[in-house]
Amino acid sequence: EIVMTQSPATLSVSPGERATLSCRASQSVSSNLAWYQQKPGQAPRLLIYGASTRATGIPARFSGSGSGTEFTLTISSLQSEDFAVYFCQQGNNWPLTFGGGTKVEIK
Amino acid sequence: QVQLQESGPGLVKPSETLSLTCTVSGGSINSYYWSWIRLPPGKGLEWIGYIYYSGSTNYSPSLKSRVTISVDTSKNQFSLKLSSVTAADTAVYYCARREVNYWYFDLWGRGTLVTVSA
């Protein structure tokens, strides 16, 4: 199965700053990569699919890039509601697999 | 809007069977794939398996021997059974929706914590 590795495990950022999260696949997943946001006690929310397409209702400050094995989620100016855990997921091969997550915390 | 809600026991004894149900409200269970995904403490998300509303299934190879997912379209529900559980099966269990021909999950439940302990 494809192993997804996210880095860093924790990212400390001040509100208003830019956050850059990485996700690496153990083999190429083409552009079949999604990002999710999860807050405690809430359902995970789809942010990005197809590596760079924002899901419905997702603010423009969230952007995704990359293809093959290297992907990035960028949050251009962190808002208070953006402090959460972010997961990547590949959809190129079964079984579908997820990264271990990056926690974005307030600096 | 469509919502998913997981339900079931929060505590299961080792070697017993974990049973959870996901209720789909505000919309139909038809024409989608429905998955179970779990988040063990301190680890990443793990896809368990899916069922199509027609009843066809696909399970993770690592759990296939212990997993059964079923659907009840009359109740707009689908269910998970995981047999012979151990402490390693302790996790928050989520149900999630995937559209046909897509591989990402566009709708999730809030999740339910299941602890395996005597």
Side-chain angles (χ1 to χ4, degrees):
Chain A
E1 71 179 41
I2 296 177
V3 176
M4 306 300 292
T5 303
Q6 290 186 243
S7 62
T10 304
L11 186 61
S12 298
V13 185
S14 300
E17 288 188 341
R18 182 188 195 91
T20 302
L21 290 66
S22 295
C23 176
R24 174 177 293 179
S26 60
Q27 64 188 76
S28 177
V29 299
S30 186
S31 294
N32 297 314
L33 192 286
W35 290 94
Y36 302 88
Q37 176 193 67
Q38 184 176 29
K39 299 178 184 179
Q42 296 187 19
R45 178 171 70 148
L46 175 68
L47 298 176
I48 302 281
Y49 62 91
S52 61
T53 302
R54 278 189 301 277
T56 302
I58 302 303
R61 64 180 182 273
F62 291 91
S63 63
S65 63
S67 66
T69 62
E70 301 283 345
F71 300 89
T72 300
L73 174 69
T74 302
I75 311 171
S76 59
S77 177
L78 271 160
Q79 307 298 302
S80 58
E81 62 267 30
D82 300 335
F83 292 96
V85 178
Y86 294 83
F87 292 97
C88 62
Q89 176 231 328
Q90 66 83 18
N92 200 63
N93 286 61
W94 292 92
L96 303 179
T97 50
F98 295 83
T102 291
K103 181 180 180 181
V104 178
E105 64 176 25
I106 300 174
K107 187 174 182 180
Chain B
Q1 73 277 25
V2 182
Q3 293 185 313
L4 308 182
Q5 178 67 59
E6 304 88 350
S7 60
L11 181 63
V12 181
K13 290 182 168 55
S15 80
E16 295 189 345
T17 296
L18 179 160
S19 296
L20 295 174
T21 296
C22 181
T23 300
V24 181
S25 59
S28 174
I29 202 168
N30 293 344
S31 303
Y32 289 97
Y33 287 97
W34 303 94
S35 280
W36 287 98
I37 297 163
R38 69 182 182 179
L39 181 62
K43 297 187 178 182
L45 290 163
E46 179 181 20
W47 173 75
I48 298 169
Y50 73 68
I51 190 164
Y52 192 46
Y53 77 100
S54 63
S56 62
T57 56
N58 186 16
Y59 302 136
S60 171
S62 64
L63 296 169
K64 188 174 184 177
S65 63
R66 299 194 291 132
V67 171
T68 302
I69 299 176
S70 58
V71 65
D72 187 336
T73 55
S74 66
K75 294 182 178 179
N76 244 25
Q77 294 177 334
F78 63 104
S79 298
L80 168 71
K81 290 189 185 299
L82 182 65
S83 64
S84 305
V85 297
T86 69
D89 295 308
T90 293
V92 177
Y93 285 76
Y94 298 95
C95 55
R97 184 181 76 177
R98 181 172 66 88
E99 292 191 43
V100 175
N101 295 327
Y102 292 91
W103 43 265
Y104 50 83
F105 303 97
D106 67 335
L107 184 66
W108 298 62
R110 288 175 175 261
T112 186
L113 174 63
V114 178
T115 301
V116 178
S117 175

